Amino acid sequence: QVQLVESGGGLVQPGGSLRLSCAASGSISSINTMGWYRRAPGKQRELVATATSDGSANYADFVKGRFTISRDNAKNTVYLQMNSVKPEDTAVYSCNIYYPTQQRTFWGQGTQVTVSS
């Protein structure tokens, strides 16, 4: 089993910055993809960004140029640096870890991000 714990959410003003962290513990496979997803009220969960264990990153169009995903493989932690945030970025942000060889996905509980003045 794998446990994922997110942190760093909160209230931020439009145009501000926030950094989310997600630490994984338990049975960690060295080959994996870690990602951030979000779910806004009344909407479906959507991909924000993913990062593979070999260094590739992928972003949703609506965060390109504003958000940056990064990893510390030694700490089994993934980060999401959120800059120039907008009210429409308000959502619960959840991280996951995916093992392609086992086709298994584990999810964290999520952290609330609210962008408001």
Side-chain angles (χ1 to χ4, degrees):
Q1 280 288 10
V2 176
Q3 296 77 42
L4 298 166
V5 179
E6 300 99 335
S7 61
L11 175 65
V12 60
Q13 293 187 342
S17 297
L18 207 60
R19 189 193 196 206
L20 306 182
S21 300
C22 173
S25 61
S27 180
I28 308 296
S29 170
S30 60
I31 301 174
N32 62 71
T33 297
M34 298 187 78
W36 287 97
Y37 292 74
R38 71 185 189 186
R39 177 173 285 169
K43 296 186 177 181
Q44 291 187 336
R45 184 169 61 197
E46 58 186 355
L47 168 73
V48 177
T50 61
T52 64
S53 50
D54 63 1
S56 299
N58 179 56
Y59 295 92
D61 286 343
F62 55 78
V63 301
K64 285 182 179 178
R66 299 190 298 125
F67 294 5
T68 302
I69 189 170
S70 61
R71 299 177 52 140
D72 184 335
N73 290 333
K75 296 181 179 180
N76 295 316
T77 300
V78 64
Y79 306 95
L80 186 68
Q81 178 66 42
M82 305 169 63
N83 297 330
S84 302
V85 295
K86 305 174 182 179
E88 51 264 44
D89 293 322
T90 295
V92 175
Y93 285 72
S94 300
C95 71
N96 76 0
I97 186 167
Y98 170 67
Y99 295 155
T101 56
Q102 303 172 29
Q103 296 188 2
R104 296 190 69 183
T105 302
F106 300 91
W107 288 91
Q109 292 296 314
T111 185
Q112 176 70 46
V113 172
T114 302
V115 183
S116 175
S117 56

